[in-house]
Amino acid sequence: MTALQAITFDTGPNPTASVIWLHGLGADGNDFAPLASELDLGDIGPIRFIFPHAPVMPVTINNGYMMRAWYDIMVTDLVRQEDEGGIRASQGKIEGLIAQEKARGIASKRIVLAGFSQGCAMALHTGLRHAEPLAGLMCLSGYLPLHQSLAAEQHGANHNTPIFLAHGRYDGVVPMARAQQSRDLLLQLGFKVEWHEYSMEHSVNDDEINDIAAWLRQVLA
């Protein structure tokens, strides 16, 4: 399996924690890399931020246009027809990034898996199935893919992993209702969800960035 290329930023020498941050459809690792220095997390020690680039593939909903994507999107409601093969292939690549950090000396419980939009979907899908406890899942403006299989495939190691789930009230890409359905299912299954909503569209705002920083301080303290 081909390893993902990524932008890496260490906030100081000898990081003691890692944040793997997955971008959305059509973007790349540069999309959120500037936030690494804006979060001001110096009080919890050095952190390695990793912003991988998704593979380039044709995306059905965009007339087959080639772009970076974690999986294909076939329909606007996102879940009626899902690219299970693509989702599981990207899951394997993201697991490779987690394994890479462990090989560099970062324990799994010091690794946060984060994502925006399609990256949020992959963070949830991968993190809840990961076989060792993670520090947390930071999930922005996305949804839970392959939700029918989660109950059977979830791994007990991450049943109590903190989940930061956030969404914009006016999101026209991933509707708020889709995020709320994902939240409700996670709660029904007993996961620890911290829900945030903001007066914004499919984006990130200052209030969310402040809440992200506070949550990261909590799970990586």
Side-chain angles (χ1 to χ4, degrees), residues 47 56 63 100 150 179:
I47 300 171
V56 175
N63 298 313
Q100 173 183 286
L150 179 60

Side-chain angles (χ1 to χ4, degrees), residues 60-61 73-82:
T60 300
I61 203 169
I73 299 286
M74 287 92 150
V75 290
T76 56
D77 73 3
L78 303 173
V79 297
R80 181 164 40 90
Q81 184 180 0
E82 295 186 90

Side-chain angles (χ1 to χ4, degrees), residues 159-212:
H159 190 74
N160 293 315
T161 296
I163 302 172
F164 181 99
L165 195 61
H167 216 83
R169 297 187 186 97
Y170 314 117
D171 194 324
V173 177
V174 180
M176 171 68 90
R178 183 68 64 223
Q180 291 170 329
Q181 290 165 0
S182 299
R183 174 201 64 194
D184 293 347
L185 176 58
L186 291 169
L187 290 172
Q188 288 169 18
L189 293 174
F191 291 104
K192 295 183 176 180
V193 178
E194 181 178 314
W195 171 259
H196 297 262
E197 56 183 76
Y198 306 93
S199 296
M200 63 181 186
E201 298 182 353
H202 194 63
S203 59
V204 176
N205 66 15
D206 289 341
D207 288 340
E208 185 176 32
I209 292 171
N210 291 334
D211 289 339
I212 287 168

Side-chain angles (χ1 to χ4, degrees), residues 64-141:
Y65 188 79
M66 299 291 291
M67 62 179 61
R68 291 197 181 275
W70 297 107
Y71 52 90
D72 193 14
I73 299 286
M74 287 92 150
V75 290
T76 56
D77 73 3
L78 303 173
V79 297
R80 181 164 40 90
Q81 184 180 0
E82 295 186 90
D83 176 19
E84 180 174 355
I87 291 169
R88 295 192 186 279
S90 284
Q91 175 188 357
K93 293 178 183 294
I94 295 162
E95 287 282 3
L97 291 175
I98 296 172
Q100 173 183 286
E101 288 311 290
K102 289 174 56 185
R104 297 167 85 174
I106 306 296
S108 64
K109 63 183 178 180
R110 298 286 294 162
I111 298 173
V112 170
L113 195 54
F116 175 82
S117 193
Q118 201 183 53
C120 163
M122 286 309 312
L124 283 169
H125 175 84
T126 305
L128 297 177
R129 291 164 174 79
H130 188 64
E132 292 183 282
L134 298 167
L137 304 177
M138 189 176 79
C139 308
L140 316 176
S141 301

Side-chain angles (χ1 to χ4, degrees), residues 6-7 18-24 28-36 39 41 48-53 70 97 112-117 119-120 123 138-140 204 208-209 212-213 216:
I7 297 166
S18 297
V19 177
I20 300 171
W21 199 322
L22 311 172
H23 63 76
D28 64 18
N30 291 286
D31 203 27
F32 283 94
L35 278 181
L39 290 172
L41 299 172
R48 176 179 297 121
F49 284 89
I50 301 157
F51 301 93
H53 307 304
W70 297 107
L97 291 175
V112 170
L113 195 54
F116 175 82
S117 193
C120 163
M138 189 176 79
C139 308
L140 316 176
V204 176
E208 185 176 32
I209 292 171
I212 287 168
L216 285 172

